[in-house]
Amino acid sequence: MTIPTNKPVPSSDPRDLLFNAEKLDEVVSSSADTYTDRFGVLRRTLAGIKNLVVQAIDIVLAGAGYVGYTVVTGDGVADNSTDIAAADLLGRPIMFSGLIVVASPTTITSPIVDTSRQIFVEGAQVTIANGRPVRPEWFGSDAAALDRAARSLSGGGTVQLSAASYGPCGHTYGASGAGSGKYLGIDNLRIVGAGMPRLSDDCKSLVGGSIIKGTFWLYANNIELRDVGVDCGLTVTDALYAGGPADALMISYPDTDAKAAAALRRGVKLHNVIGLARSPDALCHAVIAGEGVVEVVTSGDVVGCMGLHGVVIKASSIRADQLTAYCNNGEGVIIKSDAQATAVSSDVQIDRVTVRGEGPFRASPHAVATAGDSLQFFALGGAIDKVQIGEAILSGHPKGLRALFGGNYTIRGVRIGRLSIDQYSVSGTRQAIDISASGSQYVRGWSIGSIEARNTDVGLLTDFVQDSNTQNHVSIGHLEVTNATRAADVGSQSYVNIGAVVANGCSDAVYKITGSPLLKVGTLSKDVATPAVYSTSGGGLVPALSNGWTVVAGGDAFGVDLLGGKVSLRGLVKPGTGSTLTTLPRWAWPPAAKRLSARGRAGSAEASVPLLISTAGVVSVNEAAGGTANCTDWLSLAGIEYDLQG
């Protein structure tokens, strides 16, 4: 061994140079942990540094629950299948170093030491069955990494996403038969993100959190997505789909054969999930939260932005916390039944629905809704049954809530606690609520606690027929309409029961009534800016005197009130040319003839005057005696009332 000098560093003395060369060989080649430099200081060899790092890793892994581990090292070329199998037999956590090749089918049941880098080469034939999450990063950085991670799981499991962007996965609907679609059909699969993304200010893309770019399609049993966004917005579709529209998050049939077979899947969980489509008029879905499935549970918020269809429910047994939709020209949130036997919406419970056609608060979307419905019930190919919504806050669409039919089906058992609808700045004909049907299309057992409608043409539009059992009806606790043309437009044979009507600033009237509906109102309050109770426009049926009967000068005006489920006549009137003073509009006809008593005066004599109201609404005096001799001066209708149902 060369003896060095004590010259300070740096030294060019040949003795020091030779000593250092010998020591360098010791540093690199020795198995000892330390060596002594030319000043007598103890320093670590490479082996010592390695052992120190291993000790540090052991401490970290022990804190993470890994006690003792096996290292498998790969070079990206040689097959590591045998090494993995041997390590797995030890039952200890496996740490992978380098790039691992798995050329033959290999199953890992031991824990894998977590990392955010790539572990396996593309095409690795590895199955992970250790019950712990896997990461897409382990399987590469290309578009297929997320799919590879999911497919590596044995019997399902968790794919853990980082706060990063993934994909596109290349998923698509198969229009040419079984197996033609590309999707994830793995039962018991969980996709867990690091945070729900948010919309960019212009709503062209998602930012932050865990983002899957391009269509993401799933159809399996017991699947779960948490804190994840699917981005098919303007920016992504320009880059991936040549500017064409693309569905975002699809939990639905993957191909035409599966759809025709009506195969059911059971169990979907969504928590803080968002889907973004290209534009309001793009022919696509932002989110289908379930089609051909039963038992869908959502927590947190499920958001669908852009696309004709925002958040779509075509499933049974739904429990949802919050559904939110922005900028959709078809419908924001739709509860729909399709022609397939399993695509029937029933037993749906939603705590809150929020739809803003104009986009999120404090955002400036690149495009906003110009058509469509905020909340739609669409019985396209079957019935919709038992839907409960706690609260719905709707704005930005020509129609707030709408019932729509594609055939002779029934929408029944709809219960909504509170509806708030504002159509300020919306163009075209505006109807806050449109419940219309024809023929054998039925609405049965609808109940809405309270409705607040603002800046609309019609607060409530009902136009539906009645079946033989009078089961088709809508019950509303409180209807308040502000800044509208009319509060309610009731037609055909609609059966509507409203506890209280408040009309403020309705430019035409409170009601427009056509056809032969049954309208029952408990109390009515209107301000002076609402000029009339009954509209005369567009065929509105308004009570009026006939046969020359007139209102006595200075007396109470003739009118018909519809309050408390009763029809009340009022006015101080004088006979004309006969005993028939009016024919009431169809909505005021009694179910059976009513014989009542009014007060009349002829000269100095005041007497009781028999009053008959026929089932055709004809109101006449003195049914037996005829004439008007006992009321030539006046007839008072005060106190004349009858129940519309008996």
Side-chain angles (χ1 to χ4, degrees):
M1 173 68 69
T2 303
I3 300 175
T5 71
N6 289 322
K7 292 181 179 179
V9 176
S11 170
S12 59
D13 189 291
R15 291 169 294 175
D16 294 337
L17 295 177
L18 183 58
F19 177 86
N20 288 340
E22 294 170 348
K23 286 297 177 181
L24 180 60
D25 183 49
E26 188 177 350
V27 168
V28 173
S29 305
S30 174
S31 59
D33 284 352
T34 60
Y35 73 97
T36 304
D37 69 11
R38 67 186 178 93
F39 297 109
V41 177
L42 201 64
R43 300 184 184 278
R44 289 192 177 274
T45 63
L46 289 182
I49 294 172
K50 176 184 175 182
N51 291 335
L52 187 64
V53 171
V54 168
Q55 291 173 21
I57 292 174
D58 284 340
I59 293 171
V60 172
L61 294 179
Y66 301 109
V67 180
Y69 61 91
T70 304
V71 177
V72 174
T73 302
D75 60 6
V77 178
D79 184 13
N80 298 107
S81 300
T82 301
D83 299 333
I84 295 172
D88 194 59
L89 286 174
L90 299 176
R92 299 196 303 240
I94 301 174
M95 174 186 285
F96 289 103
S97 175
L99 202 55
I100 305 300
V101 176
V102 189
S104 58
T106 303
T107 299
I108 299 174
T109 60
S110 300
I112 296 174
V113 176
D114 194 15
T115 179
S116 58
R117 66 169 182 83
Q118 184 173 353
I119 294 176
F120 305 104
V121 298
E122 297 176 14
Q125 298 182 54
V126 62
T127 298
I128 299 174
N130 58 19
R132 301 200 179 197
V134 301
R135 293 184 181 274
E137 289 85 351
W138 296 358
F139 298 87
S141 58
D142 62 332
L146 175 54
D147 266 27
R148 289 194 206 105
R151 298 181 195 283
S152 75
L153 293 166
S154 173
T158 300
V159 177
Q160 180 67 58
L161 307 184
S162 302
S165 294
Y166 298 88
C169 298
H171 291 180
T172 185
Y173 179 72
S176 56
S180 59
K182 184 177 181 184
Y183 67 105
L184 285 176
I186 302 167
D187 290 346
N188 308 308
L189 176 66
R190 300 175 73 238
I191 308 291
V192 178
M196 179 183 181
R198 60 180 177 83
L199 292 161
S200 63
D201 184 65
D202 56 11
C203 297
K204 292 182 178 180
S205 61
L206 297 179
V207 293
S210 300
I211 301 170
I212 300 170
K213 292 184 176 180
T215 300
F216 194 55
W217 206 297
L218 302 102
Y219 192 60
N221 295 299
N222 299 320
I223 55 178
E224 181 176 356
L225 272 74
R226 298 181 64 88
D227 301 309
V228 172
V230 181
D231 191 346
C232 286
L234 187 72
T235 302
V236 168
T237 53
D238 276 350
L240 302 181
Y241 299 99
D247 295 307
L249 174 58
M250 303 290 289
I251 302 174
S252 176
Y253 302 105
D255 56 56
T256 51
D257 284 20
K259 191 169 186 177
L264 272 174
R265 297 295 184 269
R266 184 177 297 274
V268 173
K269 291 183 180 180
L270 303 176
H271 175 77
N272 288 341
V273 172
I274 182 170
L276 174 63
R278 179 177 176 83
S279 62
D281 58 353
L283 186 58
C284 60
H285 307 80
V287 175
I288 289 188
E291 179 179 22
V293 299
V294 296
E295 298 177 4
V296 177
V297 177
T298 81
S299 56
D301 203 357
V302 174
V303 182
C305 183
M306 299 289 174
L308 277 180
H309 317 290
V311 179
V312 181
I313 298 289
K314 292 193 279 188
S316 299
S317 299
I318 313 294
R319 302 293 182 268
D321 280 356
Q322 165 86 24
L323 303 182
T324 301
Y326 303 118
C327 308
N328 313 104
N329 267 1
E331 62 285 324
V333 172
I334 178 172
I335 299 170
K336 183 180 181 183
S337 62
D338 264 346
Q340 289 70 43
T342 57
V344 177
S345 291
S346 63
D347 188 20
V348 178
Q349 296 182 23
I350 305 168
D351 288 348
R352 183 183 174 95
V353 171
T354 301
V355 178
R356 288 177 54 85
E358 65 272 41
F361 286 109
R362 297 183 296 277
S364 301
H366 68 91
V368 299
T370 57
D373 312 332
S374 294
L375 173 60
Q376 184 185 103
F377 296 83
F378 191 9
L380 174 64
I384 295 175
D385 190 19
K386 293 187 296 184
V387 178
Q388 297 183 35
I389 299 174
E391 180 180 46
I393 312 297
L394 315 175
S395 65
H397 287 98
K399 291 183 184 289
L401 180 150
R402 185 184 186 192
L404 194 62
F405 296 83
N408 292 330
Y409 306 113
T410 300
I411 304 176
R412 66 166 64 87
V414 174
R415 303 283 189 271
I416 301 175
R418 174 176 175 261
L419 270 174
S420 178
I421 303 168
D422 192 341
Q423 295 173 303
Y424 179 77
S425 78
V426 174
S427 301
T429 302
R430 300 165 300 171
Q431 291 145 352
I433 300 174
D434 179 1
I435 304 174
S436 298
S438 61
S440 297
Q441 300 168 350
Y442 297 132
V443 290
R444 292 182 174 169
W446 282 53
S447 176
I448 303 173
S450 68
I451 299 170
E452 303 166 30
R454 300 179 181 87
N455 306 305
T456 185
D457 293 317
V458 177
L460 171 67
L461 170 65
T462 64
D463 193 336
F464 54 87
V465 297
Q466 197 55 256
D467 66 358
S468 58
N469 297 318
T470 321
Q471 293 181 332
N472 302 320
H473 66 275
V474 175
S475 177
I476 298 167
H478 182 90
L479 173 63
E480 183 170 347
V481 182
T482 302
N483 192 21
T485 304
R486 288 178 295 276
D489 192 333
V490 183
S492 295
Q493 297 173 314
S494 300
Y495 181 179
V496 182
N497 191 333
I498 307 175
V501 174
V502 179
N504 296 315
C506 295
S507 60
D508 178 32
V510 179
Y511 312 114
K512 176 182 176 182
I513 304 176
T514 57
S516 54
L518 177 59
L519 175 62
K520 299 178 67 176
V521 177
T523 61
L524 169 63
S525 173
K526 79 175 187 69
D527 64 356
V528 294
T530 302
V533 175
Y534 304 106
S535 172
T536 59
S537 66
L541 302 178
V542 181
L545 294 169
S546 57
N547 299 321
W549 283 68
T550 59
V551 175
V552 174
D556 293 336
F558 172 71
V560 179
D561 294 324
L562 187 61
L563 296 173
K566 298 178 181 293
V567 171
S568 301
L569 306 186
R570 55 183 167 80
L572 192 67
V573 297
K574 186 174 183 178
T577 58
S579 60
T580 298
L581 59 120
T582 187
T583 298
L584 298 173
R586 177 64 182 83
W587 54 263
W589 295 3
K594 300 295 181 182
R595 290 175 171 82
L596 306 168
S597 180
R599 298 295 297 175
R601 182 171 181 172
S604 60
E606 186 173 324
S608 175
V609 178
L611 192 73
L612 172 66
I613 306 173
S614 75
T615 55
V618 177
V619 183
S620 58
V621 296
N622 299 316
E623 176 186 9
T628 59
N630 55 355
C631 56
T632 54
D633 291 335
W634 53 259
L635 177 74
S636 174
L637 299 174
I640 301 297
E641 67 177 23
Y642 53 91
D643 197 306
L644 282 171
Q645 289 186 289

